[in-house]
Amino acid sequence: MSPTPKQPITDASIKVRQLSHYQFSWIAGEAGSPGTWTLQLVLDEGASEEILTIDAEDADNLQDLLSTAETVFYDVRRKTLMFGTTPVGHH
C-alpha cells in the first residue's frame, strides 16, 4: 500500500513547472512613449500559463536564453526562470 500524502496534490501546490512554449508580444504605448513587452509562458504542456511584463532589454536577453536552452523550468511562487541543469563537476 502506498502512503497517503498529507495534503492533496493540486495545480496550485505545484511550485516548479517545465516551460513548454513561449511567446513574446509587444503592445504599443501612447504616442512618444515606449511600448510594453510581455512574455507568455506555457507550462507543463498547457497545464498552467503565466504572463510576465518585461522591458526591451530583458526581452532581448530572455530571447537569447530561451532560444538556446534545452530545458527551462519556472518557479511559479518566486516567478523565476531556471535555464537547464548542469551535472556537478561540469562547466
Side-chain angles (χ1 to χ4, degrees), residues 2-74:
S2 62
T4 304
K6 292 182 182 180
Q7 65 181 30
I9 298 172
T10 64
D11 280 345
S13 68
I14 298 172
K15 303 299 182 208
V16 177
R17 293 186 176 270
Q18 186 168 354
L19 180 63
S20 307
H21 299 84
Y22 63 91
Q23 178 178 337
F24 287 95
S25 299
W26 181 79
I27 304 163
E30 297 292 324
S33 64
T36 301
W37 284 95
T38 62
L39 173 56
Q40 178 183 6
L41 307 175
V42 178
L43 307 166
D44 289 342
E45 299 295 337
S48 181
E49 292 186 15
E50 189 86 18
I51 297 179
L52 309 175
T53 302
I54 55 179
D55 63 26
E57 185 177 351
D58 285 345
D60 185 45
N61 290 330
L62 286 169
Q63 175 62 42
D64 291 344
L65 289 165
L66 290 168
S67 66
T68 59
E70 288 187 29
T71 306
V72 178
F73 293 96
Y74 182 71

